[in-house]
Amino acid sequence: MIGAPPTPLAHGVRFALGVLLLCVWAGRPVEAQHRPEPRGTTAGTIQPAAAPVVHRGLPAAYAGHPALPPVLSALLPGAGQLVQEQNRGWGYLALEAVGWVVYADRRRSAGRYRDRYRDLVWETARTQAGDRVDGDFTYYERLTQWTRSGRFDRDEGSPGVQPETDASTFNGSVWDRARRIYGLPSGPLDADGAGFAEAVTYYEDRAYRDAFLWDWSGHADERERFGSLIRVSDERFQHATLALGLLFANHLISAVDGFVSVRGLSLELAPAPVGTGLRMRWEWTP
């Protein structure tokens, strides 16, 4: 029996998001908190620049390079924030580290389960002799849906391909579909009749040949175990893909944050009067 993953994806994501939110709360720029507003201006208004642009938040060593924080953050989330001495950069870094750990773990685990279900099929259900040839995911998914593949050629001694006619098998179902598409009768077929050659071509393109035939007859327990293995493998590959999406989003958000910070948009979250939640204060310096 296959148990649940020991380290669920949700735990890592929740931890990283919690660290990021904590750092955002604790890492508000000191400059933004204490910079006095010019007389006659209010928060939320745009004032024309009266002096050369000073990119706020940047230490003096980087003052002439306002593109540096967003570029650094795009390459390594959090780097642009740390250059600006903003503690929330650690949150982006934490999320990046957790994302790569989760991605590597899910990919490695998915690969192990994939090897296990492929081995199980080869040892139990595959009917062909000779060198082993593994199929794609669609092939193994069909093994969960069909007990038998059926033959590819019912009479190898006759010229051409004699399609499988047992519709309870996968190959037989392909031939049944081809026959109906091209309007062939259900009885004996005339190889020279209209539509026969086209139906055979359709069958040859979609039916499985001798190197991929299978038969689960008499192996119900192994088939059920195979289904569990392929589901777990597929789920963990999906988790890895989700982790990559979160990593991409982390790079993008960190880069946008670095750009906005350097251009002077300051966001401040502060407790509001009881019963009204949080108060957001923003200020834009062109």
Side-chain angles (χ1 to χ4, degrees), residues 77-155:
Q81 285 71 32
L82 295 178
V83 162
Q84 299 179 77
E85 301 176 356
Q86 297 168 343
N87 289 336
R88 65 176 175 273
W90 295 111
Y92 290 112
L93 284 175
L95 186 56
E96 184 76 0
V98 170
W100 282 114
V101 168
V102 170
Y103 171 77
D105 175 73
R106 298 294 90 178
R107 285 284 303 184
R108 183 169 54 250
S109 179
R112 287 199 301 266
Y113 278 102
R114 179 183 58 193
D115 292 341
R116 289 173 60 184
Y117 73 65
R118 286 179 173 178
D119 291 343
L120 176 62
V121 168
W122 177 255
E123 296 165 2
T124 305
R126 300 279 289 272
T127 61
Q128 63 280 358
D131 295 336
R132 169 174 164 177
V133 180
D134 291 325
D136 57 13
F137 180 77
T138 300
Y139 168 72
Y140 291 102
E141 191 174 36
R142 283 173 176 158
L143 266 76
T144 67
Q145 302 165 351
W146 296 86
T147 302
R148 295 183 296 138
S149 62
R151 295 163 293 181
F152 177 73
D153 188 350
R154 289 186 297 107
D155 187 359

Side-chain angles (χ1 to χ4, degrees), residues 133-219:
V133 180
D134 291 325
D136 57 13
F137 180 77
T138 300
Y139 168 72
Y140 291 102
E141 191 174 36
R142 283 173 176 158
L143 266 76
T144 67
Q145 302 165 351
W146 296 86
T147 302
R148 295 183 296 138
S149 62
R151 295 163 293 181
F152 177 73
D153 188 350
R154 289 186 297 107
D155 187 359
E156 295 181 355
S158 299
V161 174
Q162 314 302 314
E164 174 64 73
T165 57
D166 184 355
S168 67
T169 66
F170 177 80
N171 283 353
S173 72
V174 174
W175 174 246
D176 184 63
R177 185 165 59 250
R179 183 182 54 76
R180 287 185 281 107
I181 289 174
Y182 292 97
L184 302 181
S186 57
L189 300 176
D190 180 6
D192 296 324
F196 181 82
E198 291 81 359
V200 170
T201 299
Y202 180 96
Y203 173 82
E204 290 177 335
D205 290 342
R206 292 163 176 81
Y208 286 108
R209 298 175 182 264
D210 292 345
F212 294 96
L213 304 182
W214 72 88
D215 188 351
W216 286 110
S217 300
H219 301 287

